[in-house]
Amino acid sequence: MNTHTTESTNATDTTGRRPALVRAAKDAPVSRTARRGLARRRLGPGPPIPYGRAIGPVLLLAIWSAGSATGLIDPRNLSAPWTVVTTAGDLIADGRLQSNVWTSAVRALSGLAYGVAAGLVLALIAGLSRLGEGLIDGPVQIKRSIPSLALIPLLILWFGIGESMKVITIALGALVPIYIHTHNALRTIDSRYVELAETLGLSRPRFLLHIVLPGALPGFLLGMRFAVTASWLALAVVEQVNATSGIGYMMGLARTYGQTDIIIVGLVVYGLLGLLSDGLVRLVERKALSWRRTLAD
């Protein structure tokens, strides 16, 4: 009996080689890359869900529609989704929505551009110089603790109630996140890269180009996402101050006449503009930092 079993096993080993291959596969060490992939699947957030970011908004829209259809939501307080869609179509047909959106976009982008430029320059000066850090970091941290919207009364006294005040308010809101995250990224660059640059004898401009800027890029892009959001938040407030055009002006006028449907249209436009701009920054971040391996991958 044992002789037959042994012969049968040997025959399988010499012909099909199946038991030997199975034992070899079980005993073979798992590669480091495979182990990392298994760990991400087991401990990570799981595989990406197609159109997963749309789940929350769709669920919110469904609850809103159900509440409006059943009468649980008073249309005087919150217009039904189909009413908002009809109102948006009317605003687009007479051109009011496009005109106000364009005005608001120009304001927001102008303030964002000034804020990003100023925040980046200040972060580079403070991040690469102890003297610069001593001069700049303290005032920026003080500004960080003071909401930009709290400065509006002072800015009105300095610059009046025209476009300059609105753009400066938006710029101040965008400056702080750009500075904070870029400065932090500069300060956390691995010192071994600096030592390597000194060993290779890199000049100051080449050091900035090849070490500093790539090292600060993740922090800068993260700051951009916060800066974009801060710009739209500041815009929503400054357009309530003596504005004659823009989404905020349109919403303020609708508030005077109790037109909740137009107010909701304005809120939806703000939300869509914020999502679009944040998505653009995320796309740039994904392309520029494609070399990183993160938990979400």
Side-chain angles (χ1 to χ4, degrees), residues 97-271:
L97 186 60
Q98 301 93 306
S99 175
N100 289 317
V101 168
W102 174 255
T103 302
S104 295
V106 170
R107 284 186 185 131
L109 293 178
S110 299
L112 179 64
Y114 288 125
V116 169
L120 183 59
V121 170
L122 293 177
L124 290 174
I125 295 174
L128 301 176
S129 169
R130 294 293 184 184
L131 178 60
E133 184 178 39
L135 293 173
I136 294 172
D137 192 65
V140 174
Q141 296 297 337
I142 293 174
K143 167 60 189 72
R144 180 187 180 188
S145 63
I146 301 175
S148 298
L149 305 182
L151 296 174
I152 288 181
L154 187 60
L155 294 175
I156 290 176
L157 290 176
W158 287 352
F159 303 103
I161 54 178
E163 287 296 312
S164 298
M165 180 275 296
K166 297 176 177 60
V167 173
I168 291 173
T169 304
I170 297 170
L172 290 174
L175 181 151
V176 173
I178 290 292
Y179 172 86
I180 294 296
H181 291 285
T182 306
H183 179 264
N184 178 69
L186 288 170
R187 285 303 187 187
T188 54
I189 292 176
D190 197 328
S191 60
R192 289 175 294 181
Y193 293 123
V194 181
E195 295 171 359
L196 178 61
E198 292 177 351
T199 302
L200 296 175
L202 292 182
S203 62
R204 188 74 172 179
R206 294 188 65 188
F207 170 71
L208 294 175
L209 180 62
H210 297 289
I211 302 296
V212 172
L213 295 182
L217 187 59
F220 170 74
L221 291 174
L222 178 60
M224 274 296 297
R225 295 187 60 189
F226 285 100
V228 166
T229 302
S231 298
W232 292 115
L233 291 176
L235 175 71
V237 176
V238 298
E239 286 191 332
Q240 307 291 328
V241 181
N242 195 46
T244 58
S245 60
I247 304 172
Y249 165 75
M250 182 182 71
M251 294 171 62
L253 197 62
R255 177 195 58 199
T256 303
Y257 296 101
Q259 298 170 315
T260 57
D261 50 348
I262 296 181
I263 295 175
I264 299 301
V265 170
L267 293 175
V268 171
V269 171
Y270 273 136

Side-chain angles (χ1 to χ4, degrees), residues 63-84 258-261 264:
I63 295 174
W64 180 16
S65 301
S68 299
T70 56
L72 295 177
I73 299 178
D74 190 341
R76 293 173 297 180
N77 297 326
L78 182 62
S79 300
W82 42 89
T83 303
V84 173
Q259 298 170 315
T260 57
D261 50 348
I264 299 301

